[in-house]
């Protein structure tokens, strides 16, 4: 992803509008966790890592085996500098079938050693 600073004002407005839409959908049907998951993705894109982490954690409360939520929360934690916690989430994502997580684990574990 590009830096949040590189996002044009128009795109930022659209992303914020999408946030409102996903929140509205989730508020009407809190079992529709894909709306919540996509909200987390927007927060990540906007580099609001605290909100992204919180949102992915909410998704995982609903579905503790949502591999993509573990994967994205892992990336979010790594971006926040919490590499060990992030690697743990990436490992969970891999265990739940998102095998591309193992490549990131290898990369970030290697970076950690250097």
């Amino acid at each position: 992803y590009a830096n949040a600073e590189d996002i044009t004002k128009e795109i930022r407005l659209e992303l914020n509008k999408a946030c409102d839409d996903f929140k509205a959908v989730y508020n009407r049907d809190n079992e529709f966790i894909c709306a919540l998951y996509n909200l987390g993705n927007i927060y990540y894109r906007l580099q609001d890592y605290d909100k992204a982490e919180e949102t992915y954690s909410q998704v995982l409360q609903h579905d503790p085996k949502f591999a993509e939520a573990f994967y994205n929360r892992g990336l979010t934690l790594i971006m926040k500098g919490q590499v060990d916690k992030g690697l743990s989430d990436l490992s969970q994502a891999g265990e739940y079938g998102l095998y591309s997580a193992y490549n990131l684990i290898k990369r970030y574990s290697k970076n950690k050693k250097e």
Side-chain angles (χ1 to χ4, degrees), residues 21-106:
D21 291 343
F22 284 125
K23 286 178 194 175
V25 169
Y26 180 71
N27 287 334
R28 285 182 183 227
D29 179 3
N30 64 6
E31 294 300 313
F32 188 54
I33 60 170
C34 287
L36 195 58
Y37 171 74
N38 286 321
L39 179 61
N41 292 340
I42 292 172
Y43 288 140
Y44 183 89
R45 177 69 176 96
L46 291 170
Q47 293 183 339
D48 190 341
Y49 299 128
D50 290 333
K51 282 186 181 177
E53 178 189 359
E54 179 183 321
T55 305
Y56 293 132
S57 294
Q58 284 181 282
V59 170
L60 291 167
Q61 287 174 352
H62 285 279
D63 183 355
K65 294 184 179 182
F66 197 130
E68 291 82 357
F70 273 112
Y71 184 92
N72 288 355
R73 188 175 72 176
L75 288 175
T76 301
L77 290 165
I78 289 169
M79 297 306 290
K80 289 177 64 172
Q82 299 174 20
V83 176
D84 288 335
K85 286 174 70 175
L87 292 175
S88 177
D89 273 5
L90 289 173
S91 178
Q92 281 296 134
E95 288 178 32
Y96 291 128
L98 199 56
Y99 302 118
S100 59
Y102 294 124
N103 293 329
L104 285 176
I105 291 170
K106 204 182 297 185

